């Protein structure tokens, strides 16, 4: 019977570790090889089920180190995201396990002192309670954590880490420096406060991510609104041109009969400019298409020779906000660089974007330039007077590429600037 109970206890530990592992995976992805995923799951089973008692610095420091090593070696992502995950999760694990063990022992010895079968059965029941906790955590907090992983930038993650570091320091101090045999009553509300603090940090991060997404959506909707207003103006212009077409044809006919070819060509070019419309269809997504149209028109107004080849109708897994961030920021930089070239005939912008059958999104934009490129470490610096409000375009693109675990290659010469992106569409 004891063997069966031990076997059941191991199964319950594995189930608890599974929900703990899935909760972490809501934010960062494990390495692809299956052995690595299984190893991470097994180590999470150890971290998530660690028994912590007052005056026990070995277990809490040891499992913290194990958690850090597991996250940094067996998961993908940037170091500040991984560190933030450790700071969010470990205080919850440590504080809850401490309360679970201490209160569980108090309840058990209040009603029984049998260290035999009753103790085994009570331990199994307590383990079920841990499973329920991590199931509910994954059920209700997993979605919140998932929304933050693709939106928060480096500064936001570091700020979140600093906030949660206070909870970690409090939990470690309460366990390591409580050397008396009996737990002080004040320890329990402090541990509960640490758990609540980290849950509040998750809610704060979610709120911040939602605000950032809402602002990005608002800006994209403004671009879309601008695009449709321009479309309406173009349609009105076309109707006006059609209404006056007979007059235009009469003028051209008169010039041609007189043999005035130069003036006829000039008149025809002016007429073509009025007829030209911005209702181009680059892709099916209306927001992305609006951004591309707005930037294409801006590039033409700058006098640049534009070439856009976009084939992303079947693109899956990359959200429209991220695509707009890539297109808008790189095109803004390209247009700005072209405007600084005195000779209009030397202003060129070439953009190519496609979704390949192998599941990759490739993007290349090349523009002519004359300005000097300024860098500080790996960051590109703006040459505008208001440096705080500008120079963030490439950084925003880098954040998108990092989020989708892609590659970004930036190269330049004296006359040309090139950005190449390759992202695996999930």
């Amino acid at each position: 019977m004891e063997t069966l109970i031990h076997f059941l206890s191991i199964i319950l530990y594995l189930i608890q570790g599974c929900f703990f592992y899935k909760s972490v995976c809501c934010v960062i992805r494990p390495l692809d090889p299956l052995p690595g995923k299984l190893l991470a799951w097994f180590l999470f089973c150890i971290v998530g089920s660690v028994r912590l008692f007052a005056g026990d610095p070995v277990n809490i420091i040891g499992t913290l180190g194990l958690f850090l090593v597991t996250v940094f070696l067996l998961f993908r992502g940037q170091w500040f995201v991984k560190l933030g995950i450790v700071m969010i999760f470990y205080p919850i694990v440590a504080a809850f396990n401490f309360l679970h063990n201490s209160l569980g022992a108090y309840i058990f010895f209040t009603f029984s002192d049998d260290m035999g079968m009753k103790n085994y059965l009570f331990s199994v029941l307590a383990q079920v309670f841990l499973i329920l906790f991590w199931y509910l955590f994954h059920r209700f907090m997993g979605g919140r954590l998932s929304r933050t992983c693709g939106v928060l930038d480096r500064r936001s993650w570091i700020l979140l880490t600093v906030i949660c570091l206070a909870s970690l320091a409090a939990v470690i101090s309460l366990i390591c420096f409580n050397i008396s045999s009996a737990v002080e009553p004040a320890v329990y509300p402090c541990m509960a406060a640490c758990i609540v603090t980290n849950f509040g940090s998750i809610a704060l991060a979610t709120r911040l991510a939602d605000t950032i997404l809402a602002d990005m959506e608002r800006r994209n909707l403004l671009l879309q609104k601008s695009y449709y207003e321009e479309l309406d103006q173009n349609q009105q212009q076309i109707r006006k041109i059609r209404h006056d077409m007979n007059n235009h044809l009469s003028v051209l006919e008169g010039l041609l009969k007189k043999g005035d070819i130069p003036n006829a060509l000039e008149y025809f070019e002016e007429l073509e400019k009025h007829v030209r419309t911005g209702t181009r269809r680059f892709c099916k997504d209306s927001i992305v298409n609006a951004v591309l149209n707005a930037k294409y028109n801006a590039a033409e107004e700058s006098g640049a020779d534009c070439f856009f080849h976009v084939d992303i109708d079947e693109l899956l897994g990359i959200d429209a906000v991220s695509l707009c961030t890539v297109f808008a920021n790189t095109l803004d930089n390209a247009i700005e660089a072209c405007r600084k070239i005195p000779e209009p005939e030397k202003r060129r912008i070439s953009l190519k974007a496609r979704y390949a059958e192998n599941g990759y999104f490739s993007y290349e934009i090349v523009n002519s330039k004359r300005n000097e490129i300024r860098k500080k470490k790996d960051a590109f610096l703006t040459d505008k007077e208001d440096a705080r409000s500008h120079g963030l375009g490439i950084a925003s693109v880098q954040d998108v590429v990092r989020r989708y675990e892609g590659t970004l290659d930036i190269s330049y010469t004296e006359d040309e600037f090139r950005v190449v992106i390759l992202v695996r569409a999930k």
Side-chain angles (χ1 to χ4, degrees):
M1 186 64 180
E2 292 183 6
T3 303
L4 179 61
I5 293 177
H6 279 300
F7 179 75
L8 179 60
S9 179
I10 293 174
I11 297 298
L12 293 177
Y13 277 123
L14 294 176
I15 296 174
Q16 174 197 338
C18 178
F19 286 118
F20 179 38
Y21 172 79
K22 291 175 69 176
S23 298
V24 174
C25 289
C26 289
V27 189
I28 51 177
R29 294 175 56 199
L31 297 178
D32 288 333
L34 182 60
K37 294 181 179 180
L38 293 176
L39 178 60
W41 171 39
F42 175 74
L43 295 176
F44 275 17
C45 292
I46 297 175
V47 173
S49 60
V50 61
R51 295 191 175 187
L52 299 174
F53 300 95
D56 181 19
V58 176
N59 274 347
I60 188 169
I61 300 299
T63 51
L64 174 59
L66 180 62
F67 192 27
L68 274 168
V69 170
T70 303
V71 170
F72 272 83
L73 295 184
L74 298 179
F75 284 82
R76 303 172 183 268
Q78 299 297 307
W79 66 267
F80 49 86
V81 177
K82 294 179 179 180
L83 185 61
I85 290 303
V86 174
M87 293 298 106
I88 291 173
F89 276 90
Y90 193 74
I92 296 175
V93 171
F96 188 80
N97 284 11
F98 177 83
L99 293 175
H100 176 263
N101 293 327
S102 298
L103 294 176
Y106 175 79
I107 293 172
F108 177 78
F109 287 113
T110 298
F111 297 98
S112 175
D113 58 357
D114 182 11
M115 299 302 294
M117 188 60 63
K118 288 184 179 180
N119 183 42
Y120 290 134
L121 292 175
F122 187 81
S123 297
V124 170
L125 181 62
Q127 191 65 28
V128 172
F129 185 73
L130 279 175
I131 293 174
L132 180 62
F133 173 81
W134 284 111
Y135 166 76
L136 293 175
F137 183 95
H138 177 262
R139 176 71 175 78
F140 294 104
M141 305 301 291
R144 291 175 175 266
L145 288 168
S146 181
R147 292 207 303 275
T148 63
C149 67
V151 179
L152 297 186
D153 58 8
R154 178 174 176 172
R155 292 182 179 180
S156 300
W157 274 110
I158 292 177
L159 175 62
L160 189 62
T161 299
V162 172
I163 294 174
C164 295
L165 183 61
S167 297
L168 178 63
V171 171
I172 293 177
S173 300
L174 289 171
I175 292 179
C176 293
F177 299 110
N178 189 353
I179 58 176
S180 60
S181 57
V183 179
E184 295 292 334
V187 171
Y188 296 116
C190 291
M191 288 291 187
C194 291
I195 296 175
V196 172
T197 298
N198 278 35
F199 273 86
S201 298
I202 295 174
L204 176 63
T206 305
R207 181 74 175 180
L208 179 61
D210 289 342
T211 301
I212 294 173
L213 281 175
D215 182 63
M216 295 174 71
E217 291 286 356
R218 180 185 61 81
R219 284 183 289 175
N220 287 332
L221 287 174
L222 287 175
L223 282 171
Q224 191 176 20
K225 178 176 178 290
S226 175
Y227 165 66
Y228 285 121
E229 289 176 351
E230 182 181 356
L231 177 62
D232 182 63
Q233 292 176 0
N234 288 331
Q235 293 294 333
Q236 293 180 9
Q237 184 71 17
I238 289 174
R239 286 194 292 267
K240 182 179 178 181
I241 294 287
R242 287 176 177 173
H243 182 268
D244 297 335
M245 188 57 69
N246 289 333
N247 295 330
H248 294 303
L249 292 175
S250 297
V251 173
L252 285 171
E253 182 183 10
L255 291 172
L256 290 173
K257 284 181 177 180
K258 292 179 181 180
D260 192 355
I261 304 299
N263 284 330
L265 289 175
E266 183 180 354
Y267 190 89
F268 183 79
E269 289 175 358
E270 289 296 322
L271 181 62
E272 184 186 16
K273 290 180 181 179
H274 289 290
V275 174
R276 188 180 302 165
T277 176
T279 60
R280 306 168 189 88
R281 183 182 180 277
F282 293 104
C283 64
K284 292 180 179 178
D285 189 284
S286 60
I287 297 179
V288 177
N289 198 64
V291 171
L292 288 171
N293 269 278
K295 300 306 177 184
Y296 188 92
N297 293 335
E300 283 197 328
E301 290 175 2
S302 70
D305 179 16
C306 299
F307 172 77
F308 281 23
H309 179 74
V310 181
D311 182 16
I312 57 173
D313 283 344
E314 303 301 323
L315 183 62
L316 301 175
I318 300 180
D319 61 279
V321 173
S322 297
L323 283 176
C324 290
T325 299
V326 171
F327 284 123
N329 284 287
T330 55
L331 282 168
D332 281 342
N333 290 341
I335 295 169
E336 185 67 24
C338 286
R339 285 174 176 162
K340 295 176 181 177
I341 300 176
E343 305 88 354
E345 67 275 6
K346 294 184 178 181
R347 301 172 185 174
R348 298 183 306 276
I349 298 176
S350 172
L351 183 148
K352 300 176 184 177
R354 68 185 296 264
Y355 174 69
E357 294 180 356
N358 58 1
Y360 280 91
F361 166 69
S362 60
Y363 179 83
E364 180 192 59
I365 181 170
V366 183
N367 63 271
S368 54
K369 75 173 188 67
R370 189 66 56 84
N371 58 306
E372 181 183 356
I373 302 298
R374 300 167 54 204
K375 291 183 65 176
K376 184 178 181 180
K377 295 182 179 180
D378 294 330
F380 288 85
L381 303 179
T382 180
D383 53 5
K384 297 181 180 179
E385 294 182 0
D386 187 5
R388 292 186 177 182
S389 301
H390 299 91
L392 304 177
I394 293 296
S396 300
V397 174
Q398 289 172 334
D399 287 339
V400 172
V401 174
R402 277 196 296 263
R403 188 187 316 157
Y404 287 96
E405 300 173 4
T407 59
L408 172 66
D409 180 68
I410 299 175
S411 59
Y412 52 89
T413 63
E414 291 184 359
D415 303 319
E416 188 177 87
F417 193 88
R418 182 187 304 267
V419 177
V420 179
I421 297 172
L422 185 64
V423 171
R424 175 78 178 185
K426 301 177 184 177

